[in-house]
Amino acid sequence: MPHRTHLAGLSDVRCRIVPGPPAGRGRTGPAVPADRDRLLAFRLGADRDAGRSAVGDGSRPAGRGFAVNWPLTVTYCHPLVPPEWIAAHGVRPQWLRLRATRESGVAIRRGVCPYAAAWIEATGGRSSSALGCRQDACGMLAIATTTCDQMRYAAALAAGDDQGCTQPVFLMNIPRTWQTEVARQVYRDELRRLGRFFQRLGGRAPRPADLAAVMQRYDAARQAWRDRPAGCSARQYAEALAWLRGPLEEPEPAPPSVAASATHRMAAGTHPASIAVPADCFTQGTPEAGVRVALVGGPLLHDDYRLYDLIEQAGARIVVDGTEGGPRTLPRPFDPHAIESDPFEELAQAYFDAFLDAMRRPNSPLYHWLSGQITSQQVQGIIVHRYVWCDLWHAEVARLAARCGLPVLDLDAAGPDAGTWPRILTRVEAFLESLVPHGSAAAATLARQTPLP
Ligand code: SF4
């Protein structure tokens, strides 16, 4: 009978589960310990200033939030890691807004995509042969996922080296298959293993009532953002969704246009008055017209959020955000009755069953969702953004063109070198010109010189 890791599309994980030295400490050590529950080596340092370390020893007061004191902070950047599960353990979930790394480190030279390279840099891995391990980031706590080979490699780099530098990286195994009970069970087991990881570091074991309360709070916050509010640009929406994946701390008053929208939702009984979003989510205007495009692809570095501005300033309107940070990766709304009876099961199902991504096998639900969005939003063209070295999304470009029947622009981004943005702007403008008839109002708009945002 096939082993369950094989049935769940994790045969490579099983092959690497062998007795050996502590994970991440040697060249031949397994990525996952044999008992699947032993922790990667770690050490905690004294509390440091914000931006230098995401983990502390509790000596510095935590910020305001629904959990008043966070003994630990963990960074993560994949939407299948539920912030509710992290927060229920008394650990502060910090969604990484990764910045592009400009160092020509070993990660880049070995062909790691810019996103994975930025993750290595942010978590203090050995991104540069010249710098070696970043001492200021040593001891940071991070979650990586096995959703692509690049992140597996990045996790191995960040997990430490043989120089005595250790890195507390939790490598969460995500099954590629999703239709079987075996795959769901692997995901549940990984969540439980993550919970034990937190408890050994000082987190608490959540009671069902605690988990249910955290889930209700996140669910209420997401409810207001399932659809993009009127007056909110694509970039503003992306910023708001990133905020929803964090600890939901320190809400600021919403601007008038969104306050009106929130009032409407409150009247419908779906929007609690306590939920707001940071004011800096609303710093720019919203295009009223233009060529209607869908932006599709993997995750975006925070520096690359300027792509939203560039596309809209070039005369298009992004009516569908199909990138990894967009709404397609949000969990489905929680069932209030299921939260009361078995919150953990409801959490696992809401995240695992609803996840839409190119990495899934089969990934046909991603195309069903996209087809529905294309029809309802009257999309005229698709812009696929993918990083060089990202085989996952490179392989989907031809399928997208064939399945969706629309013009597709394949935007490959290599990283933060000087020529990247002028090249992208030229290609976006040429693509948009091809979508509109000559002499139309839209063509006149496109003819304007577009400044780089
Ligand atoms: S951009 Fe692609 S290759 Fe890079 S981490 Fe994401 S899925 Fe993996």
Side-chain angles (χ1 to χ4, degrees):
M1 182 176 177
H3 191 273
R4 71 173 189 164
T5 52
H6 178 70
L7 292 173
L10 287 168
S11 53
D12 56 323
V13 170
R14 187 187 174 212
C15 293
R16 298 171 75 181
I17 299 177
V18 292
R25 295 296 305 272
R27 292 174 185 274
T28 58
V32 179
D35 60 4
R36 301 183 72 248
D37 193 25
R38 196 172 59 197
L39 302 182
L40 298 172
F42 70 91
R43 73 181 182 212
L44 298 180
D47 267 320
R48 301 171 183 170
D49 293 337
R52 289 179 59 82
S53 175
V55 69
D57 60 3
S59 57
R60 184 185 294 271
R64 287 188 291 130
F66 64 93
V68 177
N69 291 306
W70 302 102
L72 291 169
T73 293
V74 64
T75 63
Y76 75 107
C77 63
H78 195 273
L80 268 178
V81 179
E84 296 94 330
W85 187 238
I86 299 172
H89 285 80
V91 179
R92 183 176 181 273
Q94 181 176 320
W95 177 257
L96 279 175
R97 300 183 190 204
L98 292 170
R99 314 306 301 241
T101 175
R102 295 181 183 278
E103 297 174 7
S104 56
V106 285
I108 301 293
R109 286 207 303 273
R110 287 183 184 173
V112 172
C113 84
Y115 194 83
W119 183 85
I120 295 169
E121 172 71 11
T123 53
R126 301 184 71 195
S127 60
S128 165
S129 58
L131 294 177
C133 181
R134 273 182 46 190
Q135 293 298 317
D136 65 331
C138 191
M140 285 179 68
L141 185 64
I143 301 173
T145 54
T146 59
T147 44
C148 72
D149 290 342
Q150 301 276 343
M151 284 306 295
R152 283 195 185 94
Y153 175 61
L157 271 183
D161 54 33
D162 50 10
Q163 316 270 318
C165 180
T166 56
Q167 190 74 21
V169 175
F170 183 91
L171 186 60
M172 183 171 175
N173 296 298
I174 304 291
R176 287 181 181 270
T177 55
W178 53 274
Q179 292 167 303
T180 65
E181 186 53 31
V182 174
R184 285 192 201 95
Q185 189 57 42
V186 170
Y187 182 69
R188 288 187 204 104
D189 287 348
E190 286 298 284
L191 287 181
R192 292 193 180 100
R193 191 167 68 90
L194 179 62
R196 292 193 292 270
F197 178 69
F198 291 141
Q199 289 171 45
R200 292 187 193 188
L201 291 174
R204 61 171 180 263
R207 294 172 303 174
D210 296 337
L211 177 59
V214 176
M215 289 169 64
Q216 284 162 349
R217 180 176 174 88
Y218 272 88
D219 200 40
R222 279 191 294 263
Q223 186 63 31
W225 293 95
R226 292 270 167 204
D227 300 314
R228 192 162 119 195
C232 181
S233 76
R235 178 180 183 143
Q236 292 160 355
Y237 190 38
E239 297 276 10
L241 294 185
W243 178 82
L244 285 173
R245 301 181 200 271
L248 304 185
E249 290 173 326
E250 301 181 4
E252 302 291 341
S257 61
V258 175
S261 172
T263 303
H264 171 76
R265 289 193 173 90
M266 275 190 285
T270 57
H271 191 290
S274 60
I275 301 299
V277 297
D280 63 4
C281 285
F282 300 88
T283 54
Q284 298 179 22
T286 303
E288 296 296 328
V291 183
R292 302 173 73 85
V293 299
L295 179 63
V296 180
L300 286 174
L301 293 168
H302 197 244
D303 302 275
D304 291 341
Y305 275 26
R306 67 192 297 199
L307 181 63
Y308 293 112
D309 302 332
L310 183 146
I311 292 172
E312 294 192 334
Q313 288 176 19
R317 187 168 181 214
I318 302 172
V319 291
V320 177
D321 183 355
T323 62
E324 188 174 293
R328 72 171 166 82
T329 59
L330 290 177
R332 66 159 169 74
F334 296 137
D335 178 340
H337 302 296
I339 286 183
E340 294 298 327
S341 59
D342 189 347
F344 176 78
E345 181 61 26
E346 175 63 4
L347 180 80
Q349 284 189 18
Y351 272 85
F352 191 71
D353 292 354
F355 185 62
L356 302 168
D357 196 59
M359 56 79 66
R360 303 210 106 177
R361 294 294 177 267
N363 61 12
S364 46
L366 171 67
Y367 287 91
H368 291 151
W369 173 82
L370 194 55
S371 297
Q373 293 288 311
I374 286 171
T375 303
S376 63
Q377 298 297 327
Q378 301 170 352
V379 173
Q380 297 170 266
I382 300 173
I383 298 176
V384 182
H385 178 275
R386 62 178 176 85
Y387 288 115
V388 173
W389 306 108
C390 180
D391 296 339
L392 209 56
W393 279 97
H394 194 182
E396 297 301 325
V397 176
R399 278 189 77 204
L400 273 167
R403 291 281 296 266
C404 299
L406 288 174
V408 171
L409 172 64
D410 177 16
L411 268 187
D412 56 328
D417 65 69
T420 295
W421 288 104
R423 181 175 68 88
I424 288 178
L425 175 60
T426 303
R427 297 193 63 205
V428 168
E429 285 183 332
F431 179 67
L432 297 180
E433 284 173 18
S434 73
L435 294 181
V436 296
H438 290 294
S440 67
T445 304
L446 291 175
R448 290 200 313 261
Q449 193 80 25
T450 307
L452 273 173

